[in-house]
Amino acid sequence: MSRIVFMNDRLVPEAEARVSVFDHGLLYGDGVFEGMRSYSGRVFRMEAHLDRLWDSARAIALEIPMTKEAVAKAVDDTLAANKLPDGYVRLIVTRGAGTLGLDPNRTSHPQVIVIADMISLYPRELYDRGLRIVTAATQRSHPATLSPRIKSLNYLNNIMAKLEGLQAGCVEALMLNHKGEVAECTADNVFAVRKGVVLTPPPDAGILEGITRGAVMDLAHSAGIPCREATLTRHDLYTAEEVFITGTAAEVVPVVEIDGRKIGAGVPGPVTKRLAADFHTHVRGG
Ligand code: PMP
């Protein structure tokens, strides 16, 4: 089915949604993006996604040529035009078309694009059985090279690690930071449950501060489950009672094996199941 796409100031049919081959988003990965999800017609934590988009843009000195209110309306309009009350939204801001050099000052007209579609990242049975993952040899970008806190169009670091995961027969891979500590997965944040405490690496471990991560931490607090940020090593994950990952597209997914080590009992654990259930209720406004 042909989609309707928002391009800069209007909705156009998919076939007309085109960017220039001189756009620095294409030439250099120069731009930022967000992935959001709508449940029953309402975008989950839209404000947090827009704040993160604006922060990413600020970090790369890219001025988004629209207000947050106008972008929020474009997101809602795109979902409505595609009749997707339960959909996935990809919001992209590129640097715009320029010359063949790197200089972002020699570009004009950043492109604001909203695509709405369905997403199903992992097969349903993985949510019931749990994921097997491996640690990638590719480390997460050093924060002094390209900060993982910026959700930029340059995802090659993650893609290199994803390739390693796929080569090992896994749909997700664990990434360590330059200090050998646990950072995150290629497109998801990671959590461990140790002695009943839910732990996740802090932003300075070199992670994207996931919106789902934040929601799950809030839900743990509401449920009276202790939850905090902590520096984690692979040993902490191998010896955890439970491990799970979170992301907008993935939601909450149990991890039952890492690098050939069974995690806990090797089946999704009670804390993961509780938080996944609370998350599903929460996103539907419960
Ligand atoms: N880390 C990375 C590298 C990501 O790309 C994402 C988004 N898919 C996440 C974590 C999870 O973030 P969120 O919960 O905001 O989707």
Side-chain angles (χ1 to χ4, degrees):
M1 189 190 116
S2 174
R3 294 276 174 227
I4 305 288
V5 177
F6 177 87
M7 289 285 299
N8 299 314
D9 54 3
R10 63 206 170 95
L11 294 165
V12 295
E14 183 182 315
E16 288 169 35
R18 295 276 179 261
V19 290
S20 164
V21 292
F22 291 98
D23 194 303
H24 281 207
L26 172 69
L27 292 176
Y28 300 116
D30 187 354
V32 293
F33 77 102
E34 276 300 319
M36 323 185 214
R37 200 151 162 161
S38 78
Y39 296 94
S40 312
R42 209 184 45 146
V43 175
F44 181 63
R45 297 202 171 180
M46 168 115 81
E47 212 173 294
H49 280 287
L50 294 182
D51 286 348
R52 188 171 68 181
L53 183 77
W54 254 258
D55 285 350
S56 294
R58 186 182 289 265
I60 67 163
L62 168 63
E63 196 156 331
I64 299 175
M66 285 173 72
T67 61
K68 279 188 190 170
E69 292 69 30
V71 172
K73 183 174 181 312
V75 168
D76 286 335
D77 289 351
T78 310
L79 280 163
N82 288 285
K83 300 187 177 54
L84 282 171
D86 292 280
Y88 177 83
V89 175
R90 178 59 56 89
L91 167 57
I92 304 155
V93 186
T94 74
R95 186 76 71 177
T99 58
L100 284 178
L102 287 179
D103 189 350
N105 296 318
R106 298 180 69 191
T107 60
S108 60
H109 303 101
Q111 300 290 293
V112 181
I113 302 161
V114 185
I115 306 166
D117 209 339
M118 298 300 288
I119 195 161
S120 94
L121 215 55
Y122 306 130
R124 187 65 244 166
E125 69 258 23
L126 286 183
Y127 289 81
D128 302 327
R129 279 207 326 258
L131 277 186
R132 278 175 53 239
I133 61 172
V134 287
T135 307
T138 304
Q139 291 178 341
R140 195 71 178 93
S141 300
H142 190 298
T145 57
L146 177 57
S147 173
R149 295 173 79 175
I150 304 171
K151 198 163 170 66
S152 83
L153 291 180
N154 190 328
Y155 251 54
L156 266 183
N157 175 231
N158 313 59
I159 290 167
M160 298 291 268
K162 173 97 179 178
L163 280 172
E164 293 184 55
L166 292 172
Q167 276 156 12
C170 298
V171 292
E172 203 20 314
L174 181 68
M175 298 184 79
L176 308 178
N177 65 18
H178 61 287
K179 293 187 264 184
E181 300 157 355
V182 171
E184 59 182 337
C185 288
T186 68
D188 298 294
N189 291 112
V190 65
F191 287 77
V193 183
R194 292 180 57 83
K195 297 196 170 67
V197 182
V198 178
L199 303 168
T200 194
D204 68 6
I207 62 161
L208 182 76
E209 286 156 88
I211 308 297
T212 320
R213 170 185 180 275
V216 165
M217 292 177 85
D218 291 346
L219 290 168
H221 289 132
S222 308
I225 302 168
C227 177
R228 59 182 169 82
E229 292 177 341
T231 298
L232 297 171
T233 62
R234 280 201 293 178
H235 182 80
D236 295 318
L237 298 196
Y238 293 160
T239 59
E241 290 126 43
E242 300 179 35
V243 171
F244 62 89
I245 60 173
T246 64
T248 293
E251 301 181 316
V252 179
V253 194
V255 174
V256 293
E257 190 187 302
I258 306 177
D259 300 332
R261 280 80 159 173
K262 198 195 272 189
I263 305 303
V267 292
V271 177
T272 305
K273 283 188 187 163
R274 166 77 199 266
L275 291 172
D278 287 0
F279 184 76
H280 288 131
T281 309
H282 179 61
V283 294
R284 296 197 178 275

